Amino acid sequence: MKIGDQHYRSLWWHEPSYVLQIIDQRCLPHEFRVQDVATMQDFVDAIAQMRVRGAPLIGATAAYGMALAMAEDPSDAHIESAWHTLNATRPTAVNLRWALDRCKAALLNTPTADRASTALALAHDLADEDVAINKKIGEHGLALIEEIATTKPPGEPVKLLTHCNAGWLATVDWGTATSPMYHAYDAGIPLHVWVDETRPRNQGALTSWELGNHGIPHTYVTDNAGGHLMQHGQVDMVIVGTDRTTRQGDVCNKIGTYLKALAAHDNNVPFYVALPSPTIDWTISDGVRQIPIEERDSKETTHIHGIDTSGSLNTVQVTPAGTRGGNPAFDVTPQRLVTGLITERGVCEASEAALAAMFPEHTST
Ligand code: MRU
């Protein structure tokens, strides 16, 4: 997507120096900083510290991590150890394990001498596939937004609400929840997006930055505002992303998503989840009991990161010194609260039968 007039992906391979380059999301939206990811420690740091973040993007990043590992040492033992090192960086988004499993299976079937080139080609493929998937999600989501637009007087915006950043920064391009928004805006449908701040990491600021760069009108609101906005008819549709969706359609996404789903349910507001198929964990059914929820550093809740009045990136403390902070990073929205899943193959209900019908190749696993 665009930053000013220039098109960017959220990561790219820099062939001359043979390194991955990322946009360091810890500095956004205040500073645009490109960072080389050149060693295994860099990969671990980039994912764990959320320099790259969002389920699809950490999957793609990990695939490049496997490519680096194969360039260093293409042995079977190193495939195994790189898999474990990268998989341990973040526990909740299943795209990480999905990408690593796919790399591992392909590499174990490749002669040692070809593993470095195969791993790099596979990482490029995974990145390109992510872009294609998200584009399709945008096309299917556009149809839902178009339908709402037909119920409105000409010129009146379709009012959307989103949580966290399931935007192009969280993927290789397009985003998942934002892709329908970009498609709708480009199709000339008037939009207004309520952007949840998404404490503690304030990924809403990333979403505001993205939407602003695309020209989409939006308002950044506190996480607690959503229920009130829905009660007052200010939200036509909620669209969020997901880090792991079970085969019965329970959706695990950024902490606070569940509360938005409850409020949407109580107010008859459609609640859609943009779902790329690599985010489906076909091995589990009950999201509340079976999805591991990342517990992040409590300092992320007791402190806040941003730009100070002198223009420097800084962290300040919000709570009294010594206050204990709790920081579960994700929650699970049960399928009964989800109106529909917007996948790359079309929109379906959040149920085991509907997901199996949409992705029949997975029903035997
Ligand atoms: O902790 P984060 O910022 O990696 O969490 C990201 C989210 O929760 C996104 O909504 C999700 O990964 C979907 S991204 C297309």
Side-chain angles (χ1 to χ4, degrees):
M1 301 301 290
K2 281 191 172 162
I3 303 175
D5 282 338
Q6 202 170 330
H7 177 262
Y8 277 91
R9 284 183 171 189
S10 56
L11 51 64
W12 58 92
W13 183 251
H14 190 249
E15 191 60 35
S17 44
Y18 209 77
V19 293
L20 181 68
Q21 294 192 317
I22 60 165
I23 300 168
D24 184 348
Q25 298 190 27
R26 294 208 56 151
C27 303
L28 286 178
H30 308 293
E31 271 177 37
F32 181 77
R33 213 183 277 174
V34 172
Q35 186 180 313
D36 286 356
V37 187
T39 65
M40 188 51 81
Q41 191 48 48
D42 288 348
F43 273 93
V44 168
D45 172 75
I47 299 172
Q49 299 305 315
M50 296 171 61
R51 298 183 195 286
V52 287
R53 41 149 298 283
L57 184 59
I58 61 181
T61 305
Y64 283 101
M66 288 302 277
L68 169 88
M70 291 303 92
E72 286 175 350
D73 165 9
S75 65
D76 285 9
H78 201 217
I79 293 176
E80 209 54 58
S81 67
W83 188 100
H84 282 285
T85 304
L86 290 162
N87 192 49
T89 49
R90 292 196 76 188
T92 300
V94 79
N95 307 56
L96 183 60
R97 188 186 78 199
W98 169 85
L100 289 169
D101 281 348
R102 196 162 146 189
C103 293
K104 180 171 150 182
L107 292 169
L108 288 174
N109 272 321
T110 303
T112 317
D114 299 333
R115 283 179 178 171
S117 58
T118 300
L120 184 57
L122 187 52
H124 292 330
D125 286 350
L126 289 187
D128 289 343
E129 277 173 31
D130 180 60
V131 178
I133 285 173
N134 299 331
K135 181 153 188 349
K136 291 307 281 183
I137 286 174
E139 290 163 11
H140 296 304
L142 164 63
L144 297 172
I145 295 175
E146 270 171 346
E147 215 176 291
I148 297 172
T150 59
T151 66
K152 303 226 163 230
E156 192 178 304
V158 175
K159 293 170 286 202
L160 304 170
L161 181 141
T162 193
H163 190 70
C164 193
N165 171 262
W168 70 263
L169 287 166
T171 64
V172 179
D173 209 347
W174 285 107
T176 60
T178 57
S179 187
M181 299 175 194
Y182 292 130
H183 279 81
Y185 181 82
D186 292 349
I189 298 174
L191 294 182
H192 177 269
V193 184
W194 299 107
V195 178
D196 286 353
E197 61 172 346
T198 319
R199 278 285 287 150
R201 288 294 292 257
N202 295 74
Q203 285 93 333
L206 301 174
T207 303
S208 286
W209 183 75
E210 278 192 23
L211 295 178
N213 269 297
H214 205 82
I216 299 181
H218 61 279
T219 305
Y220 181 80
V221 288
T222 61
D223 289 322
N224 297 325
H228 165 78
L229 293 170
M230 291 184 215
Q231 273 176 335
H232 289 272
Q234 293 303 307
V235 183
D236 296 312
M237 178 186 185
V238 178
I239 316 181
V240 297
T242 167
D243 289 81
R244 192 185 296 224
T245 296
T246 70
R247 65 171 182 273
Q248 73 175 10
D250 293 345
V251 171
C252 182
N253 191 50
K254 181 52 55 194
I255 192 79
T257 303
Y258 172 47
L259 291 177
K260 292 299 140 68
L262 285 171
H265 186 71
D266 196 43
N267 290 284
N268 290 318
V269 172
F271 183 92
Y272 280 92
V273 178
L275 170 66
S277 60
T279 309
I280 304 170
D281 185 344
W282 296 98
T283 67
I284 58 171
S285 179
D286 180 340
V288 175
R289 277 167 196 79
Q290 292 179 287
I291 297 178
I293 300 294
E294 178 178 18
E295 182 75 32
R296 291 189 62 84
D297 190 338
S298 65
K299 203 173 166 207
E300 291 181 350
T301 61
T302 55
H303 292 64
I304 198 160
H305 186 67
I307 198 165
D308 64 22
T309 46
S310 70
S312 310
L313 279 174
N314 229 326
T315 299
V316 296
Q317 187 172 320
V318 181
T319 55
T323 300
R324 188 187 304 166
N327 192 7
F330 298 93
D331 61 24
V332 174
T333 299
Q335 36 113 269
R336 68 189 159 80
L337 298 176
V338 177
T339 309
L341 302 168
I342 312 172
T343 79
E344 68 268 27
R345 294 196 187 161
V347 180
C348 69
E349 69 175 28
S351 72
E352 184 147 359
L355 277 170
M358 192 66 93
F359 299 97
E361 69 273 28
H362 289 283
T363 48
S364 59
T365 58

